[in-house]
Amino acid sequence: MNTLKRYFIATRPWSFPVSIAPVFLTGEYINIIYPGAQAGSCLWAVLGIIIFHAASNLFSDYYDYKKGVDTDPSIGSPTITGKLLTARQTIIYAWILLVIATINGLVMAYFTGWPLLVIGGIGALLIILYPWFKYHALGDLDIFLTFGILPTLGTAFVMTGQILWSSLWITLSFATITVAVLHANNTRDCGRDGNAHIHTFAMLIGPKASQLVYYIEVWLPICWVLLCVCLGKMPWPLLIGSACASLIAFRNTKVMKAWGHGGSIDKLDQMTAQHQLTNLIFLLIAFFAMRIL
């Protein structure tokens, strides 16, 4: 495998839908509630959050390896254990990407305003501290903020020059699926994480409760969209898009349920990321349909 490909795979590109989703969906939502917004700014924001996400994955891989959490490349991330990169290459790569993302954020803030520095600064801090949060049962909260609340507010600010709290209505249409990616990973790894003397949220609540939490995380978005449509906060086509994406949620729910009877969830984190991608595609189709109806 050539060097460029190894460095690309090490960033876990299959997980990028969870960072792309908040930017694109917030951008489409802002176009509805704030006519005249700078739609083109979304593409710039997408680039920034993907680089941030890649850095976050690498920091996580490095500290999981150092903690003894990732030892089997067939189950955990293969970045270091699968010899894609050395531990030293991984942490250097992580810091390089974080610096690039920070420079990109500073340039964006120069053209939009200082509040973006606050949003981006909090995001960068959460990325750096993510391993600590994860090992103390707070990783799910970290991910919800990093790939839910903050990118929603950041995208809205880049497009409008304002902190639009009303943009947060769109957040629960995707954010808990993102958290479910991490939760599926941590539920699978409970035994190995215990051996590494760390404490994830899945370990804290136990197997049965972890299954229930996963079900809630993947089904909450469609329930939330239904509620928002009923309240007039979201247009009705989004409900159809969310319902279509729920077909993948149903598949993943069956996998998690089978785990309680001896089945495997080794790839459920990747399958949940696929759910996020499907959710993103169908919701974007729904937004597009609104423009031509």
Side-chain angles (χ1 to χ4, degrees):
M1 188 184 299
N2 64 54
T3 302
L4 186 61
K5 186 175 181 179
R6 285 191 292 108
Y7 273 86
F8 177 68
I9 293 175
T11 63
R12 283 187 264 163
W14 58 264
S15 67
F16 291 162
V18 305
S19 52
I20 294 172
V23 179
F24 276 129
L25 293 178
T26 301
E28 289 293 335
Y29 185 63
I30 292 300
N31 283 330
I32 294 174
I33 66 173
Y34 197 97
Q38 299 295 319
S41 301
C42 269
L43 297 178
W44 195 355
V46 166
L47 174 63
I49 198 168
I50 287 177
I51 300 173
F52 260 121
H53 190 180
S56 177
N57 286 342
L58 291 163
F59 276 115
S60 179
D61 288 346
Y62 175 79
Y63 287 107
D64 279 354
Y65 175 76
K66 286 296 185 179
K67 273 281 189 178
V69 176
D70 274 346
T71 57
D72 185 349
S74 67
I75 298 177
S77 171
T79 298
I80 302 175
T81 57
K83 302 187 185 306
L84 286 173
L85 302 176
T86 66
R88 184 171 182 273
Q89 287 173 327
T90 300
I91 193 63
I92 291 174
Y93 189 19
W95 278 108
I96 289 173
L97 289 180
L98 185 60
V99 169
I100 292 172
T102 300
I103 292 172
N104 180 69
L106 290 172
V107 175
M108 291 178 70
Y110 175 79
F111 288 102
T112 57
W114 67 265
L116 190 64
L117 290 177
V118 176
I119 296 171
I122 295 173
L125 189 62
L126 288 173
I127 285 174
I128 295 170
L129 294 178
Y130 168 71
W132 185 92
F133 278 98
K134 175 184 174 180
Y135 303 155
H136 292 81
L138 294 170
D140 301 64
L141 174 62
D142 185 299
I143 293 300
F144 182 77
L145 294 172
T146 305
F147 296 108
I149 300 295
L150 293 176
T152 298
L153 292 175
T155 302
F157 183 80
V158 167
M159 293 178 65
T160 67
Q162 300 180 38
I163 298 293
L164 289 182
W165 298 107
S166 57
S167 65
L168 293 178
W169 282 100
I170 196 69
T171 304
L172 285 183
S173 68
F174 61 84
T176 60
I177 303 175
T178 298
V179 178
V181 176
L182 170 68
H183 186 66
N185 179 291
N186 289 345
T187 300
R188 177 197 67 202
D189 292 344
C190 276
R192 293 186 298 124
D193 288 349
N195 293 334
H197 306 293
I198 67 172
H199 303 281
T200 64
F201 180 64
M203 292 172 61
L204 184 67
I205 63 177
K208 291 293 184 183
S210 288
Q211 285 181 295
L212 178 60
V213 167
Y214 182 82
Y215 301 152
I216 293 172
E217 288 171 342
V218 297
W219 286 102
L220 179 60
I222 188 171
C223 297
W224 178 253
V225 172
L226 174 60
L227 175 63
C228 289
V229 168
C230 292
L231 294 176
K233 298 296 184 179
M234 292 184 187
W236 65 266
L238 291 190
L239 182 58
I240 299 175
S242 186
C244 290
S246 70
L247 296 175
I248 306 297
F250 181 72
R251 178 201 67 179
N252 292 352
T253 299
K254 289 177 63 178
V255 171
M256 178 59 88
K257 184 178 181 181
W259 174 72
H261 301 281
S264 172
I265 56 170
D266 285 356
K267 300 299 181 183
L268 187 57
D269 53 351
Q270 295 184 34
M271 295 168 67
T272 308
Q274 291 171 4
H275 175 201
Q276 184 67 289
L277 177 60
T278 306
N279 186 57
L280 170 63
I281 290 171
F282 277 114
L283 290 182
L284 289 178
I285 289 173
F287 275 118
F288 178 75
M290 288 171 48
R291 297 180 180 181
I292 61 178
L293 289 177

